[in-house]
Amino acid sequence: MLHIFGVALAAILSLFGIVGVGIYFRRSGRFTHETESVLLRLTVDLLLPCLFIDRILKTDVFSNPQNLWLPPLAGFGMVGVAILIGLAAGLLPSKLTGLSTWKQRRTFAACVGILNYGFVPIPLVEALFPKDDHTMGVLIVQNLGVELSVWTIVLLTMKGKLDRHTWKHVFSPPTVAIIGAVTLNLLGNSRFVPETFHTQVAPCFDFVRMGIHILGGAGIPLSILMVGATFSEHFHRNEITQRWKTTLKIAWCSCLIRSVIMPAIFILLAVMIPCTLEIKRVLVVHGAMGSAIFPMVLAKHYGGDPKTAFDTILSNTFLSIITLPLWVAVGLILVGG
């Protein structure tokens, strides 16, 4: 347990170190708004899809059908459960929660609902299971379920409605990359593809795989740098000082849900449900995550409350430096992984 905690803590601290570099680059003017916009599109449209394709194509974990259909369902479901808990917390008196309007309550529920499903779990799983591409494959397809939840139930919670324009986001480049890579993986490992294809034709395209691998390796570091830049943009000390009472109330509710209740629920599920070890591991890792950063962007552009989003996300994100390694260590011991 101490070994797992140590590995997880080291991985988290290294990631937050990169976040700190991103904050410094934004504050020093090296990361401008224009630069961030270009790098964001590069990351989402190219680097992350390459990362997902690279990791999926090198695993045979999908030979077990359960590893294909259950993780996306679990990813979607765990977001829904967290949102319901967040909405229930919003019904408590505002003296306890700091949430006085329905816009704040919806924003809070959306932000505690969407876990950090990419930037932290991927390098964490690589650190915990460096020679296990099965767990990484399951993590990425579970990310597909979380990604679909962002543009459906999370956006519905944030806005209070959905329109036809929001559905185009469902088929984002990362989503298409995951679906396409899984399809190629299944075809490549099927009995319908002759052995001569693998021995004579496939090696001719190794240079493509190598290029995808190199591009994918840049996806996570660049994403984490931009997380730091985003934090820096929203962090205004004077503004937080003026509303510190409300911030603390929102923070304790956020930390209770995202750093205590959700990890406990999904570790319990990982222990109880009959599924593969890879799925149990990913449930533990995802359940222990803090909130994602992206809902701050959603709050700004889709009718949420950006201040509530910032208070919600910042608080449990920093608390997760300690709680995440602890929950991961406990969870992996309980599931035997």
Side-chain angles (χ1 to χ4, degrees):
M1 180 173 174
L2 288 176
H3 172 70
I4 297 173
F5 178 85
V7 172
L9 180 61
I12 296 303
L13 290 176
S14 66
L15 296 176
F16 273 86
I18 299 174
V19 170
V21 174
I23 293 173
Y24 170 74
F25 269 53
R26 169 52 66 84
R27 291 294 176 89
S28 63
R30 291 175 173 85
F31 253 155
T32 63
H33 287 283
E34 293 77 13
T35 303
E36 185 180 355
S37 177
V38 172
L39 292 178
L40 178 63
R41 295 271 33 109
L42 176 68
T43 303
V44 173
D45 293 346
L46 177 64
L47 300 183
L48 289 180
C50 285
L51 174 68
F52 296 154
I53 292 170
D54 177 57
R55 298 299 191 272
I56 289 174
L57 290 183
K58 64 173 58 174
T59 181
D60 61 353
V61 70
F62 305 119
S63 58
N64 184 335
Q66 189 184 56
N67 289 330
L68 188 60
W69 66 266
L70 184 55
L73 184 63
F76 192 93
M78 69 194 312
V79 174
V81 170
I83 287 176
L84 289 176
I85 295 174
L87 289 173
L91 298 178
L92 297 173
S94 60
K95 291 182 179 180
L96 294 175
T97 64
L99 306 171
S100 56
T101 68
W102 275 108
K103 177 186 283 190
Q104 288 181 310
R105 295 183 183 108
R106 294 200 314 269
T107 302
F108 174 81
C111 290
V112 295
I114 183 68
L115 64 140
N116 192 332
Y117 59 100
F119 303 158
V120 176
I122 290 176
L124 178 60
V125 166
E126 286 184 334
L128 290 170
F129 313 106
K131 298 181 180 180
D132 181 9
D133 55 20
H134 286 190
T135 302
M136 181 61 70
V138 169
L139 173 68
I140 292 175
V141 294
Q142 184 154 307
N143 283 353
L144 176 62
V146 180
E147 179 75 18
L148 294 176
S149 74
V150 171
W151 301 108
T152 51
I153 54 176
V154 172
L155 205 58
L156 174 63
T157 304
M158 186 79 73
K159 294 180 63 175
K161 63 177 182 179
L162 289 177
D163 55 54
R164 60 187 179 88
H165 298 292
T166 59
W167 293 102
K168 64 182 181 180
H169 296 291
V170 171
F171 297 101
S172 62
T175 300
V176 173
I178 293 172
I179 295 173
V182 169
T183 303
L184 288 175
N185 181 290
L186 293 175
L187 288 173
N189 291 309
S190 71
R191 59 186 178 86
F192 301 105
V193 178
E195 185 63 28
T196 54
F197 176 86
H198 295 289
T199 58
Q200 299 182 21
V201 179
C204 297
F205 296 93
D206 282 347
F207 73 96
V208 177
R209 290 282 300 272
M210 180 62 70
I212 290 174
H213 174 76
I214 294 172
L215 286 171
I220 294 300
L222 190 56
S223 300
I224 299 173
L225 283 173
M226 286 189 290
V227 167
T230 302
F231 266 139
S232 177
E233 180 181 355
H234 288 82
F235 189 85
H236 303 290
R237 184 180 302 174
N238 292 335
E239 185 177 312
I240 293 176
T241 302
Q242 293 174 1
R243 54 187 178 87
W244 66 272
K245 291 184 179 180
T246 300
T247 297
L248 286 178
K249 292 175 182 178
I250 294 174
W252 86 263
C253 291
S254 169
C255 292
L256 178 64
I257 294 173
R258 194 70 260 174
S259 298
V260 179
I261 296 176
M262 292 306 297
I265 289 175
F266 283 95
I267 286 177
L268 182 63
L269 282 176
V271 171
M272 295 182 62
I273 63 175
C275 60
T276 64
L277 178 60
E278 292 82 10
I279 296 176
K280 290 178 181 289
R281 288 171 173 172
V282 173
L283 282 174
V284 169
V285 170
H286 264 181
M289 288 295 136
S291 294
I293 311 300
F294 186 57
M296 286 198 292
V297 179
L298 292 179
K300 182 178 180 180
H301 295 285
Y302 291 99
D305 184 75
K307 294 179 182 178
T308 300
F310 179 76
D311 294 342
T312 303
I313 294 167
L314 184 68
S315 55
N316 71 62
T317 295
F318 280 104
L319 182 62
S320 69
I321 296 175
I322 299 300
T323 60
L324 194 157
L326 181 61
W327 281 115
V328 168
V330 171
L332 291 180
I333 292 298
L334 291 176
V335 301

